[in-house]
Amino acid sequence: MGIHVIKMPDLGEGIAEVELVAWHVLPGDRVVEDQALADVMTDKATVEIPSPVVGTVLALGGEVGQVLAVGAELIRIEVAAQEAVSPSPSGGGPGWGQPPQAAQAMQAGQPPSQPSPREGRSERPIASPAVRRRAWELGIDLQQVAASGAGGRIMQADLDAHVAAHGAGMPASVRPAQRDDEERIPVIGLRRRIAQKMQESKRRIPHFTYVEEVDVTELEALRARLNAKWGAQRGHLTLLPLLVRAVVLAVREFPQINARFDDEAGVVTRHGAVHIGIATQTEGGLMVPVLRHAEALDLWASAAEVARLAQAARAGKATRDELTGSTLTLTSLGALGGIVSTPVINHPEVAIVGVNRIVERPVLQGGAVVARQMMNLSSSFDHRVVDGLDAAQFVQALRAYLETPVTLFVE
């Protein structure tokens, strides 16, 4: 028998370190070639590290949330003598101690026992607040639920499977009870990247937000007609491709909005290409996949690419290239979009367009009160680069295109 040491591979593009965001194996597990061992993250892109050998996991080289340098030891696997590529060390370093149970089992010539669904998990199960609340309402002890998520995270589907197999527990009491429990949640993985990005943006950029009301009654009517005529053949259009089209046309008139500011070099780069970041909520947090060359896409091509990017982001499969290089960002909370928001600029861009929800309300028009579909645009700008007048004129141009949608198709 021998020891195969897997080191953190060089992922290219000058990456010197990565964050360990999930383990898929535990000490004592039997692994096969190409089986996923761990997930690491760099610049919001998650990379899966596979096993190059068949063997038994001896020890893990770090904890979830730890930052590892390229070349650092990631995991040690015991393999057959002919497969071993690294000699067994005379003494294990920090973090490489073999669990006593596994060592005793191997000395006795017995295979290491496989962990139960709860083994290897921290004393307090890993789950989102929404999952914890639902489990509480169902009277389910999360310690009894088998986890399928990365790093032992309990998902909503795991609760469904537990209820189907065992039923719900005693309903939670409706009487309020005093609580003194606390929950410490490490800020790791995507959540850490988001926190760093938001902090950098707010620290570097003097934001100002401009809000304008837009009558989208005609735009929604046009969208309904387009879907009725071509939706079955080309796919259903949401509001987003029409907003993308309006942004593409508006930045032609105001190129200072479609720009990136290198504040260290003191250089603003205005882009002819319109690479629109689409803020996308995922289970792990907010990601911004990039719709590249929006200026060259028609409505349906834009809609299809936005859907593909959103699906890749939510599945954790978006590539580094798909998550970088945007020149302007669109963000929307959909039906929960509220009345006004103050979106944070995606540094080093200089603007972000925020979309609030559409509401039908009475509007005075030509002396008569009529029902119209109204929507607010809440857009933030980098005041070092974009003057208030330019920002207002840009938003007014967007408003004009959206309120008179026939102009979206006139070059």
Side-chain angles (χ1 to χ4, degrees):
M1 304 295 284
I3 305 298
H4 183 94
V5 178
I6 300 176
K7 297 185 177 183
M8 184 61 62
D10 185 353
L11 300 178
E13 301 183 1
I15 295 172
E17 59 183 21
V18 298
E19 182 180 352
L20 180 60
V21 295
W23 282 112
H24 298 303
V25 295
L26 295 170
D29 282 358
R30 182 73 177 170
V31 297
V32 298
E33 192 172 349
D34 293 329
Q35 179 178 339
L37 301 174
D39 290 343
V40 298
M41 175 175 287
T42 172
D43 292 336
K44 292 189 179 180
T46 300
V47 179
E48 197 173 75
I49 305 298
S51 173
V53 296
V54 176
T56 302
V57 177
L58 290 180
L60 309 180
E63 298 180 354
V64 171
Q66 185 174 338
V67 175
L68 300 177
V70 170
E73 294 184 352
L74 178 67
I75 191 171
R76 292 186 180 185
I77 299 176
E78 185 176 48
V79 297
Q82 62 271 23
E83 296 177 349
V85 297
S86 301
S88 178
S90 58
W96 289 109
Q98 187 175 356
Q101 300 90 334
Q104 293 169 6
M106 289 180 182
Q107 291 172 2
Q110 300 172 351
S113 61
Q114 294 300 315
S116 70
R118 290 170 299 192
E119 286 181 347
R121 196 189 296 175
S122 61
E123 182 178 347
R124 185 172 180 82
I126 304 172
S128 68
V131 170
R132 291 188 185 281
R133 179 175 180 81
R134 184 175 172 221
W136 179 80
E137 291 172 346
L138 292 172
I140 294 174
D141 180 2
L142 287 178
Q143 290 282 4
Q144 305 303 317
V145 180
S148 64
R153 180 180 292 273
I154 298 174
M155 318 297 289
Q156 292 284 5
D158 298 328
L159 283 182
D160 294 338
H162 184 86
V163 171
H166 307 287
M170 293 295 294
S173 172
V174 297
R175 294 181 57 189
Q178 178 175 314
R179 295 184 59 177
D180 297 308
D181 58 302
E182 296 179 350
E183 181 180 7
R184 293 176 60 85
I185 303 174
V187 180
I188 62 174
L190 179 59
R191 194 74 260 166
R192 178 189 287 177
R193 299 282 174 169
I194 293 172
Q196 292 171 342
K197 188 75 172 177
M198 295 299 100
Q199 178 176 298
E200 180 182 28
S201 180
K202 293 297 286 186
R203 180 175 62 83
R204 286 176 174 257
I205 300 175
H207 287 60
F208 77 96
T209 300
Y210 179 88
V211 181
E212 181 57 277
E213 184 179 61
V214 181
D215 185 340
V216 293
T217 307
E218 299 303 325
L219 186 70
E220 283 292 271
L222 171 63
R223 187 169 71 88
R225 289 195 292 271
L226 292 174
N227 282 330
K229 187 168 184 178
W230 288 298
Q233 294 81 22
R234 302 185 183 183
H236 182 78
L237 283 179
T238 65
L239 182 64
L240 190 55
L242 294 161
L243 288 168
V244 167
R245 178 63 180 169
V247 168
V248 166
L249 295 177
V251 297
R252 291 181 185 176
E253 303 171 49
F254 301 94
Q256 65 270 43
I257 305 299
N258 188 46
R260 294 161 68 95
F261 181 30
D262 184 342
D263 47 2
E264 293 183 356
V267 176
V268 176
T269 303
R270 296 181 178 181
H271 297 269
V274 185
H275 302 317
I276 298 182
I278 307 295
T280 304
Q281 191 64 42
T282 72
E283 187 170 296
L286 187 69
M287 301 184 76
V288 187
V290 181
L291 178 67
R292 296 192 178 277
H293 289 291
E295 76 280 2
L297 301 176
D298 64 24
L299 291 180
W300 278 275
S302 177
E305 181 64 0
V306 167
R308 185 192 71 79
L309 289 168
Q311 182 178 8
R314 292 185 179 118
K317 301 298 183 182
T319 66
R320 179 183 173 87
D321 286 343
E322 291 171 336
L323 295 170
T324 57
S326 55
T327 59
L328 179 66
T329 294
L330 269 174
T331 180
S332 170
L333 289 175
L336 299 176
I339 300 172
V340 172
S341 56
T342 55
V344 178
I345 297 169
N346 188 17
H347 178 270
E349 299 166 27
V350 302
I352 181 170
V353 176
V355 181
N356 300 113
R357 71 172 182 264
I358 297 174
V359 295
E360 186 177 45
R361 58 183 180 81
V363 174
L364 191 63
Q365 198 173 66
V369 176
V370 296
R372 306 292 288 180
Q373 292 179 284
M374 307 300 294
M375 178 186 77
N376 285 354
L377 291 178
S378 301
S379 306
S380 295
F381 302 89
D382 185 340
H383 218 333
R384 300 171 300 175
V385 179
V386 181
D387 293 333
L389 177 62
D390 294 332
Q393 289 178 333
F394 168 73
V395 174
Q396 292 301 328
L398 280 179
R399 177 186 178 185
Y401 283 120
L402 296 175
E403 291 191 337
T404 312
V406 66
T407 58
L408 294 173
F409 308 98
V410 178
E411 293 287 343

